[in-house]
Amino acid sequence: MNIDVNKPVENPALLEELRKRSTVGSDRQAQINLMNNIMHLVATQATFLVIIKLDEKDMEPDGEGKMIIKKDAHMQVQMISSPDGKHYIPLFTDWPSLRQWDIFKDAQVQTLVVGFDDVMALVNENTFGVVINPFSENLCITTPQLQHMKQVKEQGTHISENRVTEDTPVQIGEAREYPANLVNAIKEYAESDSRVKEVHIKMMTRNGQMSFLLVIDHDGDLNEVFKGIAGAGRAFVPAGMFLEMVPLNSEFGQQVVTTTFSKPIYKK
């Protein structure tokens, strides 16, 4: 991610998702989907303010009258501790969120603007994780969760939001290795969503691109159901592959199921 330090740090999309946590209720799958969206934004789009401590000797002029951090500077990142003594790096989505910390409410403060890759460079064996806006939204993400997010980001996993149309030339078959983790995640979601009635999974090749194809029988809004299933399966799609979906009641969906004698991986 390229960060423009001349722009104010603002994260409206992430803040919107963070604030939904108080309204999502007890629906476990809705909670999972929301957290997937939040983690995706954190890993791919968000920028944060991190509070640091620097001595004057760690700064040098850049030739344009501005002071910048020396390459060999000894920089100390401000930490925050939980009641059980675990240390987190506080990340702030904007200045108003940072100023909610009483000790920095009116004080002059040194900060860095960081993206996800920078955050991962700051996390070490002494940190339990990070906490986003600890004095408002207060979302803790542990180091193992961050590492998983990094792995998913590096794999470049993509969930296709395009629908396969009836006139798309494709090849349909079975996966060489059964995608057990993906199947289990989809089945768990389907069990929690009363709108999902039946799910089939196939391997599909289209224009040389391999993907998992889900054929789904459902009630209710197609986009909402598909989005929920995509959120549940996102972390289990191998690098370089896609997850695509069609409704069972479409001509293409019926053709896939009948010509391959498909048995559903889930059926209510």
Side-chain angles (χ1 to χ4, degrees):
M1 176 190 293
N2 294 320
I3 299 173
D4 185 349
V5 296
N6 295 312
K7 291 184 178 180
V9 176
E10 297 175 332
N11 293 274
L14 177 58
L15 277 172
E16 181 181 354
E17 294 299 295
L18 288 169
R19 289 165 181 167
K20 287 180 183 177
R21 294 165 61 230
S22 62
T23 62
V24 72
S26 59
D27 186 323
R28 182 171 178 272
Q29 191 56 53
Q31 294 172 354
I32 292 172
N33 292 342
L34 180 59
M35 279 304 302
N36 280 340
N37 290 339
I38 289 171
M39 290 184 174
H40 177 72
L41 288 171
V42 170
T44 62
Q45 297 183 26
T47 57
F48 299 99
L49 293 166
V50 172
I51 299 174
I52 59 172
K53 296 178 183 178
L54 283 171
D55 293 329
E56 288 187 11
K57 62 180 175 30
D58 293 318
M59 308 289 289
E60 63 183 1
D62 67 352
E64 297 180 359
K66 298 178 181 179
M67 299 299 289
I68 60 174
I69 301 172
K70 293 181 179 179
K71 291 183 179 180
D72 58 349
H74 178 67
M75 182 180 68
Q76 184 178 351
V77 176
Q78 178 72 47
M79 305 289 285
I80 194 169
S81 298
S82 62
D84 57 359
K86 293 172 182 174
H87 302 298
Y88 294 83
I89 299 173
L91 306 177
F92 298 95
T93 57
D94 47 39
W95 276 98
S97 297
L98 186 152
R99 291 300 187 187
Q100 291 187 46
W101 197 343
D102 285 343
I103 60 175
F104 296 111
K105 185 175 182 179
D106 300 307
Q108 191 173 16
V109 58
Q110 296 173 312
T111 62
L112 284 180
V113 180
V114 299
F116 180 74
D117 293 341
D118 305 307
V119 171
M120 293 305 298
L122 296 174
V123 172
N124 58 43
E125 65 275 5
N126 298 318
T127 54
F128 195 77
V130 300
V131 55
I132 299 174
N133 293 348
F135 302 98
S136 50
E137 287 71 35
N138 192 34
L139 173 65
C140 295
I141 305 178
T142 65
T143 298
Q145 288 174 314
L146 290 169
Q147 291 168 341
H148 176 70
M149 292 161 64
K150 182 182 180 203
Q151 182 181 16
V152 171
K153 181 182 178 183
E154 289 175 347
Q155 287 176 341
T157 298
H158 174 73
I159 304 299
S160 174
E161 296 184 2
N162 296 321
R163 310 291 181 240
V164 181
T165 58
E166 287 81 355
D167 58 353
T168 304
V170 298
Q171 292 178 313
I172 304 295
E174 303 293 337
R176 290 183 180 179
E177 295 185 10
Y178 188 69
N181 291 334
L182 174 61
V183 168
N184 290 337
I186 292 169
K187 289 168 66 175
E188 185 176 355
Y189 174 83
E191 188 64 37
S192 70
D193 189 337
S194 61
R195 298 171 298 184
V196 181
K197 298 160 63 177
E198 185 174 324
V199 182
H200 298 253
I201 187 168
K202 295 293 176 182
M203 288 297 302
M204 181 174 72
T205 304
R206 177 176 56 175
N207 298 325
Q209 173 66 58
M210 296 185 67
S211 61
F212 290 107
L213 172 67
L214 301 180
V215 182
I216 303 167
D217 187 19
H218 67 92
D219 295 321
D221 185 85
L222 176 147
N223 289 323
E224 289 185 4
V225 172
F226 281 19
K227 183 178 179 180
I229 292 176
R234 178 178 290 115
F236 305 101
V237 179
M241 293 189 65
F242 296 81
L243 183 62
E244 303 195 58
M245 293 166 278
V246 295
L248 178 60
N249 63 5
S250 67
E251 182 179 341
F252 183 67
Q254 285 291 312
Q255 185 178 14
V256 168
V257 169
T258 55
T259 59
T260 63
F261 303 101
S262 177
K263 293 183 179 180
I265 60 169
Y266 174 83
K267 188 171 185 177
K268 275 193 172 67

